[in-house]
Amino acid sequence: MATDITRRSLIQAAGAGTLAAPFILNGTPALAASQTEATMTLSPVETRSFKLGAFRIAVIRDGMRASGAPNETFGTNQPAETVGALLAANFLPADNFVNSFSPTLVDTGSDVVLFDTGLGEGGREAGMGRLAEGLKALGYGPEQISVVVLTHMHGDHIGGLTEAGAPAFPNARYVTGRTEYDFWVSPDRVGTGAEQGHKGVLAKVKPLAEKITFIEDGGEVVPGVTGINAFGHSPGHMIFRIESDGKPLILTADTANHYVLSLQRPDWEVRFDMDKAAAAATRKKVFDMVATDRIAFVGYHMPFPAVGFAEKAAEGYRFVPLSYQFDL
Ligand SMILES: [Zn+2]
């Protein structure tokens, strides 16, 4: 084996790794600085499962997307250079960022609960909407999902509710926040910035209304799974505490949407946070709790497998990704 590791050989090795990596960027070897949007397709679909007490948790990568101009999404009230500098300090490109989409399955032994449904068929052309494929890889058919929980009703969470116009999970009942549903179905959204979302909810969620259980803060989904209000990202956004045999996991959904920019600078404004001040306050409250109690969390847009811990830093929190904590 060669022991003489030069900088050049490290770069070459990294290049070879890129070619062998299970994703391609529209056939381009890297994200060019000028690239405003690129789609990453993964083959085969990625999943990660682990035990939480008597529960089986599985995270499925519905897809991932690279976008340019990070500060048009995160730190929109900051200079672009400030946002780029924080990315660079964290070994990330300053001009691009990756967004992952990770629905999570909780098999309690008596229920198979799915949290959020990805982009669905609308995302397929771009290599996303791979939830069903991921479930199959984990050994679950769509008919086995007994409960679908919607943390909130943005398109990347409700897109997979239907397949070719029919419910994608034919035997499921649904659980979601009352506040969230009432906001999106209201005709008051017509003529506002929320009109597109309103139309999406009318198409995807409202037809299922008879099978939906609407919950408030503290509402139970199934034994061991409890909803918590975490408003701000959307008007009725909810997070969930999952606990089995004294082992907790917080499903933080879209409370923080970039593992560096949202966690290290929780006050920075985010384009997709509908009430920016409320979202920042919620972010700090939730991650203070996650950090203080040293609880693992799964965040829908965190880097796959989207599970980790948060450590308090001088400013904000540092993301500590999952390694083998649940495997022993
Ligand atoms: Zn989202």
Side-chain angles (χ1 to χ4, degrees):
M1 273 195 74
T3 49
D4 159 6
I5 298 175
T6 62
R7 184 167 177 274
R8 180 181 250 298
S9 69
L10 281 172
I11 289 166
Q12 283 168 342
T18 302
L19 290 176
F23 61 83
I24 54 159
L25 311 171
N26 282 348
T28 56
L31 292 171
S34 61
Q35 201 169 358
T36 53
E37 185 145 323
T39 296
M40 297 171 161
T41 55
L42 303 155
S43 190
V45 65
E46 286 190 279
T47 64
R48 169 78 187 259
S49 54
F50 56 89
K51 283 263 180 206
L52 182 81
F55 292 176
R56 181 194 191 197
I57 312 287
V59 185
I60 300 106
R61 189 177 217 167
D62 189 65
M64 61 197 288
R65 181 166 58 204
S67 305
N71 101 298
E72 288 176 13
T73 300
F74 298 98
T76 52
N77 57 341
Q78 301 295 318
E81 308 76 62
T82 307
V83 176
L86 185 63
L87 288 167
N90 284 275
F91 307 95
L92 291 170
D95 298 334
N96 285 285
F97 71 98
V98 168
N99 196 359
S100 283
F101 305 86
S102 296
T104 297
L105 181 127
V106 178
D107 187 337
T108 70
S110 35
D111 270 296
V112 182
V113 184
L114 175 68
F115 290 85
D116 293 330
T117 65
L119 288 106
E121 51 201 338
R124 300 252 164 84
E125 216 169 278
M128 296 184 279
R130 301 186 69 180
L131 170 64
E133 198 184 334
L135 289 173
K136 194 173 168 200
L138 288 162
Y140 294 92
E143 70 288 345
Q144 283 172 270
I145 307 300
S146 59
V147 184
V148 175
V149 179
L150 300 173
T151 61
H152 64 297
M153 298 186 187
H154 286 160
D156 53 325
H157 298 257
I158 65 171
L161 280 172
T162 56
E163 195 66 54
F169 306 102
N171 300 320
R173 65 182 182 91
Y174 304 84
V175 178
T176 195
R178 163 69 68 190
T179 306
E180 183 74 0
Y181 183 77
D182 287 351
F183 173 84
W184 289 110
V185 296
S186 167
D188 295 350
R189 305 289 85 82
V190 176
T192 73
E195 182 167 354
Q196 271 308 107
H198 165 70
K199 285 183 183 159
V201 169
L202 292 190
K204 291 275 183 181
V205 186
K206 199 169 178 225
L208 307 168
E210 270 184 16
K211 296 174 89 177
I212 301 179
T213 304
F214 295 101
I215 60 167
E216 320 266 350
D217 192 40
E220 186 182 84
V221 176
V222 294
V225 180
T226 310
I228 304 167
N229 285 350
F231 298 172
H233 175 71
S234 70
H237 179 263
M238 291 187 83
I239 64 173
F240 293 84
R241 183 182 175 94
I242 301 161
E243 185 166 339
S244 173
D245 290 346
K247 297 219 163 48
L249 174 74
I250 305 287
L251 186 137
T252 56
D254 282 21
T255 306
N257 286 340
H258 190 281
Y259 79 100
V260 166
L261 300 174
S262 300
L263 285 179
Q264 293 188 12
R265 298 294 182 272
D267 279 318
W268 282 7
E269 291 188 358
V270 179
R271 178 160 60 107
F272 296 115
D273 287 346
M274 294 171 71
D275 180 335
K276 297 187 192 332
T282 295
R283 202 152 36 240
K284 288 188 283 190
K285 190 175 158 200
V286 168
F287 284 96
D288 253 353
M289 184 258 292
V290 166
T292 303
D293 295 348
R294 299 173 68 84
I295 304 179
F297 75 97
V298 51
Y300 194 77
H301 297 292
M302 293 291 115
F304 192 81
V307 180
F309 300 83
E311 177 182 56
K312 255 184 205 163
E315 191 177 352
Y317 313 90
R318 188 175 75 88
F319 181 62
V320 180
L322 169 85
S323 57
Y324 52 76
Q325 291 90 348
F326 293 100
D327 299 334
L328 301 176

